[in-house]
Amino acid sequence: MTPDIIIKGKALYTTKGAAREYGRIGCNFYTGCPHECTYCYLKRGAPSKQLGGNKVRLKACFKNEQHAAEILLNEMDKHLEACRKHGIFLSFTTDPMIEETRRLTVSAIYDAIPRIIPVWVLTKDATFIHDVPIMTALNNIYRDKRPSIHFGFTLTGHDEMEPRASTNDNRIMAMRRMNLMGFSTFASIEPVITWEAAWRLVRQTLPWCDHYKLGLRSGAKKDYYDIAESGAAIERIVRLVECFGKTIYLKESTRRLLQQYFQPGAYEAFLSHTVDMDGKRIELQTRITHELNE
Ligand code: SF4
């Protein structure tokens, strides 16, 4: 689906490429992320300078936090329809729940709720559940509004590769807390480091997690993932998630691998057990028709 609108604001913008698999409208207030993951995309290539490395800073286009919040309000009102339809995603340039960034994230949530704009937040931080002002603010959100706020946790099962982030176990505890409070939850199992860890994480989170995203390691050597082992592991994970009534989105990286594992017909049938980027169940018939028309 192509975006129905192009947004190029200071806080909000329409995403491109792989980022669209997380959110069609990104919301960035800060650049820089302190977690120092060994596989970090912020450190590599041309965007690395612009994205700020491990120093967290308010983007230069904002005078201060209040100014950033005002700009977001204006941009949400200007693009209300698109924001309501696609929601906003925090964040592609930092972790939106670390100490430095979480106040503005909660402020964005407070502004989105009365405008009926869904919010997706993705973090590797679990310390915010001990931040009393932040948790009080989240507790003050009416229960019936909470499902439109989605708290996601990246889980790899390999703390040693994420030296400054909360441990994976603590992230799961934070997910449980948010789920019990009535917020929607999701797990981003990406990058898959080992299939053993991915399987364990899905099993551990099933009671607390509404939705999964599964993605492979970008830039990994061609033979990093064994096709037969990976295909069987993905199949097992998808069946388990479906069995528990939860949903799963397979990112393009995962699909490319599956195309080598399954015969064409079987691949299509298998995808119909998953959902698309917008969380809609993939209809087998629709997909075949769509591909024939391409
Ligand atoms: S959490 Fe994301 S942005 Fe931050 S260091 Fe890790 S991979 Fe990079």
Side-chain angles (χ1 to χ4, degrees):
M1 196 205 291
T2 47
D4 23 21
I5 186 165
I6 302 294
I7 303 174
K8 284 186 185 170
K10 288 187 166 111
L12 296 182
Y13 67 105
T14 35
T15 54
K16 290 185 195 149
R20 294 183 63 230
E21 293 191 271
Y22 275 97
R24 293 178 193 281
I25 302 177
C27 176
N28 296 333
F29 294 122
Y30 293 89
T31 58
C33 175
H35 295 325
E36 298 194 2
C37 308
T38 54
Y39 51 79
C40 181
Y41 64 95
L42 289 188
K43 288 186 204 149
R44 289 198 306 261
S48 59
K49 272 194 191 142
Q50 171 194 354
L51 294 175
N54 56 12
K55 258 216 149 8
V56 182
R57 290 191 189 93
L58 193 66
K59 281 166 64 181
C61 59
F62 302 125
K63 291 181 208 150
N64 49 40
E65 285 192 356
Q66 192 187 335
H67 181 233
E70 284 165 14
I71 295 276
L72 175 65
L73 262 183
N74 289 338
E75 291 180 358
M76 283 200 295
D77 285 339
K78 187 170 169 196
H79 305 291
L80 192 56
E81 211 181 310
C83 289
R84 278 186 180 160
K85 183 170 174 191
H86 301 301
I88 61 172
F89 177 92
L90 291 95
S91 163
F92 289 105
T93 54
T94 191
D95 185 320
M97 292 308 286
I98 55 177
E99 202 177 342
E100 298 92 323
T101 62
R102 61 179 71 132
R103 277 183 312 277
L104 263 181
T105 300
V106 173
S107 154
I109 290 172
Y110 262 69
D111 289 333
I113 286 174
R115 288 169 176 76
I116 322 175
I117 297 174
V119 180
W120 274 265
V121 174
L122 181 61
T123 184
K124 279 184 185 141
D125 183 278
T127 63
F128 73 90
I129 64 167
H130 306 296
D131 184 327
V132 174
I134 290 292
M135 292 308 281
T136 305
L138 293 174
N139 250 319
N140 284 340
I141 295 171
Y142 286 121
R143 274 240 157 213
D144 64 327
K145 307 293 181 206
R146 295 183 192 176
S148 70
I149 311 301
H150 306 249
F151 282 94
F153 297 83
T154 301
L155 299 172
T156 62
H158 284 265
D159 295 336
E160 77 286 359
M161 298 177 85
E162 300 152 344
R164 296 190 182 268
S166 300
T167 63
N168 280 257
D169 281 350
N170 283 345
R171 286 175 231 166
I172 294 172
M173 288 300 289
M175 173 188 278
R176 177 176 179 271
R177 177 82 180 268
M178 302 321 282
N179 173 274
L180 291 174
M181 285 171 72
F183 292 99
S184 295
T185 52
F186 66 98
S188 172
I189 312 282
E190 185 185 24
V192 171
I193 308 296
T194 62
W195 289 109
E196 182 276 329
W199 169 254
R200 178 168 39 82
L201 291 164
V202 172
R203 282 193 55 180
Q204 258 180 289
T205 50
L206 272 170
W208 324 113
C209 187
D210 301 314
H211 178 63
Y212 292 85
K213 287 174 186 281
L214 192 66
L216 305 186
R217 201 169 173 177
S218 68
K221 284 193 182 143
K222 222 176 159 199
D223 57 357
Y224 184 85
Y225 296 103
D226 176 83
I227 305 295
E229 182 205 358
S230 306
I234 298 165
E235 222 182 333
R236 208 166 158 224
I237 287 171
V238 168
R239 302 280 180 209
L240 181 69
V241 168
E242 191 180 39
C243 185
F244 274 74
K246 311 298 174 90
T247 54
I248 186 164
Y249 171 70
L250 301 180
K251 295 192 76 181
E252 279 302 320
S253 55
T254 319
R255 291 183 194 208
R256 275 196 299 276
L257 185 146
L258 278 181
Q259 278 170 326
Q260 300 171 63
Y261 174 73
F262 281 120
Q263 297 294 324
Y267 168 72
E268 298 303 338
F270 182 70
L271 274 195
S272 69
H273 295 275
T274 69
V275 296
D276 65 15
M277 279 187 224
D278 299 310
K280 294 194 191 86
R281 176 76 52 188
I282 296 176
E283 298 289 339
L284 182 57
Q285 197 55 45
T286 310
R287 187 172 168 81
I288 289 172
T289 311
H290 169 70
E291 294 208 339
L292 286 174
N293 289 338
E294 274 178 356

